[in-house]
Each structure stands twice: as structure tokens, then as C-alpha cells.
Amino acid sequence: MLRKIVLISLLISSVGHAQQIAGSKHDFSVGSGRIEIAGEFEICVFCHTPHHATLEAAPLWDHETTVANFEIYTSPTLDADDIGQPSGISKLCLSCHDGSVAVDSYGGNTGYLKVNSAATKIGTDLSNNHPISFLYDTSLADADGFLEDPDANWTVSDLLFENKVECPSCHDVHNNAPIPFNFKLLRLSNDDSALCLTCHIK
Ligand code: HEC
Ligand code: HEC
Ligand code: HEC
Ligand code: HEC
């Protein structure tokens, strides 16, 4: 319960930043000029609700969760050995971006507006995407030899969710960074591949 109250107050205290979702790629309200959900004038509601939320990895979640079976990333040089089905927040991103659940399936309603553009639909085959939903710790860094140690590097540990690499390690849906940092909603600029080089020593 205490956790819920903290989360509700977090949610309320962020409303001051509302313009950062408003007009962003994740604003689906009437007048946004992209996927517009008829009759919807709120902007947090596609993903969060103050009440009756689903207990998911992101706070006060209110969007239907995908049940798709995903093909996962594999490679002979990969050291991480715990890559399974997407979990945590990544699964929530994929609940729109795999194209199986409608963007307007929130608040208990089943919608019909699905992500279908070639660019933004990640789909269910993740074998050609950067690996996600795996533990990134000192022993992985040691095993790989060319990764920053997250325990010794706060910039890296700040990008992890429950010590894992997830979609939001690289993207911020709330798009609260100024241009040019909001290119593709990236958390850090990727000029000169800076985002990649935050974790990879190459
Ligand atoms: C498209 C989905 C989406 C929309 C729309 C959205 N959020 Fe979020 N929100 C997320 C996800 C995913 C996370 C967890 C990942 C993260 O923290 O970046 C999150 C995390 C949060 C958190 C906790 C972490 C933090 O950043 O403090 C708060 C508070 C929050 N959202 C508030 C809001 C508010 C307020 C709005 C509307 C102005 C909003 N969100 C709109 C998806 C969304
Ligand atoms: C409620 C559905 C929904 C959720 C949840 C959601 N997205 Fe999206 N996202 C969309 C849609 C729809 C678009 C395309 C909007 C457009 O092109 O008009 C989009 C666009 C994007 C883009 C492209 C931005 C650009 O500049 O082209 C990125 C990156 C992205 N989302 C990442 C994420 C990540 C990461 C998460 C989870 C943390 C997430 N999304 C959660 C629906 C969602
Ligand atoms: C390791 C970092 C990283 C991770 C993890 C990551 N992305 Fe991305 N993503 C990027 C970068 C960088 C781009 C921009 C590519 C470009 O156009 O240069 C991008 C682009 C995108 C786009 C826009 C595609 C386009 O062409 O407009 C979407 C949508 C997206 N990512 C969603 C996701 C989702 C959903 C996840 C989790 C399943 C995810 N990303 C995980 C780094 C990442
Ligand atoms: C948050 C940290 C982080 C960021 C940012 C990041 N990566 Fe990674 N990446 C990892 C980790 C950890 C692995 C797993 C390495 C392993 O297990 O061998 C990985 C795996 C990979 C692999 C697969 C390696 C293999 O052996 O199959 C490639 C390629 C890669 N990343 C490229 C990139 C690129 C390109 C970017 C920038 C767009 C990027 N990464 C951004 C942490 C990150």
C-alpha cells in the first residue's frame, strides 16, 4: 500500500512535465496528429492509471500486456546466458510495439488501433534486435572483457532496470530531454555512437 501511495504521488508530481508526453510520439490524444484515440483527451492514460492498476514492472500500469511468444536474440559470441522471453518493462513496450495488442487497449477496453508501420513495429521476432531482459553485472562485464562494469560506473547502472538491459535502457518514452537528445526518444545522444559506447568498450 505504501508503495502504491508513493507511486501515486510520483505520478502526480510528474504532471508538471506533461508537455513532454504531450505532442511526443506517445501522445495519442485527440488533436495529437498521429494515432488519435477518439474521445481521449488525457495523455498518461494509455499507460498509467491512478487506480485499479495492473501490477507490472512500470508503475500504475493500465495497458493490456502482450501474450505473444517471441523469438529471442542468440549469437555465438554472446556471453549473457539468461536471455529468455522479454520481461519487465520491455514486455510492456512490446505490448504496443509487437503489433499484437492495440494501442487503445487500455483501461480494461479492447481497442483496434495497432502499430503497423514498418519502422515502429518491432514484431515478435527479436533475433535481429539488440538483446534485452538479461542481467548486466560485474561477472558479465568480466566474462565479455569489453563491457563497462555497471557496479563501477553510475552512468551505466542508471541505464539498467532491476540490473537488466531493457528497452528503456536506451529509450525514454516520456521524452523529457531537449533536442537533439530526443532523437528516437534515446536516453542519451547517440552521436558518434555515444550511447553504445556508454556500455561497450570498443
Ligand atoms: C506510452 C506509455 C506511457 C505514457 C503515455 C506515459 N508513461 Fe509513464 N512510464 C511508462 C513506462 C514504460 C515507464 C517505466 C519506464 C521508465 O521509467 O522510463 C513509466 C514510468 C513512469 C513513472 C515512474 C518513473 C519516473 O520516470 O519517475 C512516472 C512517475 C510516470 N511514468 C509518469 C507518467 C505521466 C505523469 C504521464 C503522462 C504525462 C506518463 N507517465 C505517460 C510509460 C508511459
Ligand atoms: C500504448 C502503446 C505504446 C507503448 C506502451 C509504447 N509505445 Fe512506443 N510508440 C507507440 C506508437 C503508436 C508509436 C508511433 C507513433 C508515431 O509514429 O506516430 C511509438 C513510437 C516509438 C518510438 C519511435 C520514436 C521516433 O522518434 O520515431 C520509440 C523509440 C518507441 N516508441 C519506444 C518505446 C519504448 C522503449 C517503450 C517502452 C518503454 C514504448 N515505446 C512503449 C506506442 C507505444
Ligand atoms: C541498446 C539500445 C537499444 C535497446 C535496448 C532498444 N533500442 Fe530501440 N533504438 C535504439 C536506437 C539507437 C534507435 C535509433 C536507430 C536509428 O534510427 O538510428 C532505436 C530505434 C527504435 C525505434 C524507432 C525505429 C525507427 O526506425 O523509427 C523503435 C520503435 C524502438 N527503437 C523501439 C524499441 C523497443 C520496443 C525496444 C525493446 C524491445 C528497444 N527499442 C530496445 C536503441 C535501442
Ligand atoms: C545499457 C548498456 C548497453 C547499451 C547502451 C548498448 N549495449 Fe549492446 N550490449 C550490452 C550488453 C550487456 C550486451 C551483452 C554482451 C554479451 O553478453 O556478450 C550487449 C550486446 C550487444 C551486441 C551483441 C554481442 C554478441 O556477442 O552477440 C551487440 C552487437 C551490441 N550490444 C551492440 C550495441 C550497439 C550498436 C549499441 C548502441 C546502439 C549498444 N549495443 C548499446 C549493453 C549495452
Side-chain angles (χ1 to χ4, degrees), residues 25-26 28 34-35 46-47 61 63 89 92-93 96-97 103 115 120 167-168 171 173 184-185:
K25 293 271 177 166
H26 288 107
F28 311 118
R34 51 192 84 254
I35 291 184
F46 323 108
C47 300
W61 196 249
H63 193 272
I89 296 170
L92 304 179
C93 307
C96 284
H97 284 279
V103 174
V115 170
T120 40
C167 311
H171 299 283
V173 274
K184 304 288 182 198
L185 308 181

Side-chain angles (χ1 to χ4, degrees), residues 24-28 33-35 37 46-47 61 63-64 89-97 101-106 113-117 119-120 122 166-173 182-187:
S24 78
K25 293 271 177 166
H26 288 107
D27 178 357
F28 311 118
R34 51 192 84 254
I35 291 184
I37 297 172
F46 323 108
C47 300
W61 196 249
H63 193 272
E64 192 182 321
I89 296 170
S90 299
K91 193 172 177 186
L92 304 179
C93 307
L94 289 164
S95 296
C96 284
H97 284 279
V101 183
V103 174
D104 50 342
S105 288
Y106 62 92
L113 300 167
K114 292 183 177 168
V115 170
N116 58 12
S117 94
T120 40
I122 303 287
E166 303 283 7
C167 311
S169 298
C170 298
H171 299 283
D172 183 1
V173 274
N182 66 2
F183 171 72
K184 304 288 182 198
L185 308 181
L186 292 181
R187 241 175 228 286

Side-chain angles (χ1 to χ4, degrees), residues 14 26 43 64 66 76 102 105-106 109 111-112 135 150 180-181 183:
S14 315
H26 288 107
I43 56 171
E64 192 182 321
T66 182
S105 288
Y106 62 92
N109 298 316
Y112 62 96
L135 208 60
F181 300 120
F183 171 72

Side-chain angles (χ1 to χ4, degrees), residues 65-78:
T65 309
T66 182
V67 293
N69 190 45
F70 294 85
E71 271 177 61
I72 58 172
Y73 180 90
T74 56
S75 105
T77 47
L78 194 70

Side-chain angles (χ1 to χ4, degrees), residues 138-170:
T138 306
S139 51
L140 180 66
D142 288 346
D144 187 90
F146 296 98
L147 285 170
E148 292 287 344
D149 177 359
D151 285 338
N153 182 325
W154 284 22
T155 315
V156 172
S157 58
D158 275 356
L159 297 178
L160 304 181
F161 290 76
E162 315 251 281
N163 302 318
K164 290 182 171 187
V165 176
E166 303 283 7
C167 311
S169 298
C170 298

